[in-house]
Amino acid sequence: MNDEADGSDAGVLWRTSTSPRRGPKPRYTLDGIAAAAMSIADEDGLEAVTMQQVAARLGTTKMALYRYLPGRSDLDAVMLDRALGPSPAVEPGDWAEGLTVWTRTLFTRALAHPWAVELAQRPHLPGPEEMTWFETGLEATASLPLESGERLDLLALLSGHALSLVRQRVGSATPEEDLAGRTAAIFAHHRERYPRTASAFVEAGREGSRDAALDFGVERILAGTAALVAERRSAD
């Protein structure tokens, strides 16, 4: 998620009615158009999504879609909001567990549509669904002695960690395991040059600790936050 915006994609997601304002009864809906665009992105990548391709998928013309979406940035905004969906409910009381669920769910949603990572990390105005992620995350941290900016920074750290690992997972559910396999021959011949790296890859396999970066990162971010919280509470 990104809290910078240029405002160009604000209209479609935040207007009170998603129907065209003039003309005959609308034949399409934003949800239907977004679903067509998302299916193209899922199949062929974000670069394959054009207004022309979406129109062809729906059996209409590109110009017909402009009644619903003024431009491509609006289409991107709708796609991202639908891909993220609403934030999961977080049980009150345990802020660390709540933020863990929050981050894991974001990872899972983005992994289902990896192209959403690029859209989320571009400057944009959050849509209604994405805004629920801010609301839920901030609610989970409401009891902590953190400044508002720090609470937003905490969400940025968690979401950035999750989304970066989605990029790593594209094309493989076990990227670290795969990398270990690809580098085995290199280490067999150059172990003396890279002794620590070779040992780390081998030992991670023995320990069963490969491809655990999501939970490791979340735990370390939250442990650091807990230490800061404890420090501030003890100073009161």
Side-chain angles (χ1 to χ4, degrees), residues 27-29 32-33 36 53-60 65:
R27 180 179 176 186
Y28 302 103
T29 65
I33 295 170
Q53 289 300 317
V54 175
R57 181 68 61 100
L58 292 170
T60 188
L65 295 187

Side-chain angles (χ1 to χ4, degrees), residues 10 23 49 52 107 127 175 183 189-190 222 227:
V49 179
Q52 183 65 51
F107 174 81
T183 56
H189 291 86
H190 302 284
L222 297 182

Side-chain angles (χ1 to χ4, degrees), residues 126-209:
E129 299 287 26
E130 187 176 356
M131 201 68 81
T132 68
W133 289 83
F134 284 100
E135 191 70 15
T136 302
L138 292 171
E139 181 180 3
T141 63
S143 64
L144 303 182
L146 299 176
E147 296 178 357
S148 294
E150 292 173 331
R151 293 193 289 141
L152 288 169
D153 289 342
L154 174 56
L155 299 185
L157 281 173
L158 292 169
S159 62
H161 174 60
L163 296 180
S164 70
L165 290 178
V166 170
R167 284 188 182 277
Q168 191 182 89
R169 287 289 184 100
V170 173
S172 172
T174 56
E176 293 177 16
E177 188 73 29
D178 293 347
L179 179 59
R182 291 195 298 270
T183 56
I186 295 174
F187 292 138
H189 291 86
H190 302 284
R191 188 179 184 86
E192 292 184 359
R193 186 176 181 182
Y194 310 106
R196 293 179 179 81
T197 307
S199 294
F201 271 88
V202 171
E203 291 169 10
R206 290 173 181 165
E207 298 162 355
S209 58

Side-chain angles (χ1 to χ4, degrees), residues 1-3 99 102-104 106 121 134 146 149-165 213-214 216-226 228:
M1 298 188 296
N2 188 317
D3 58 3
L99 290 179
W102 187 93
T103 309
R104 287 175 177 167
L106 177 61
Q121 293 181 338
F134 284 100
L146 299 176
E150 292 173 331
R151 293 193 289 141
L152 288 169
D153 289 342
L154 174 56
L155 299 185
L157 281 173
L158 292 169
S159 62
H161 174 60
L163 296 180
S164 70
L165 290 178
L214 178 66
F216 180 82
V218 171
E219 290 167 4
R220 299 288 66 77
I221 292 171
L222 297 182
T225 302
L228 175 61

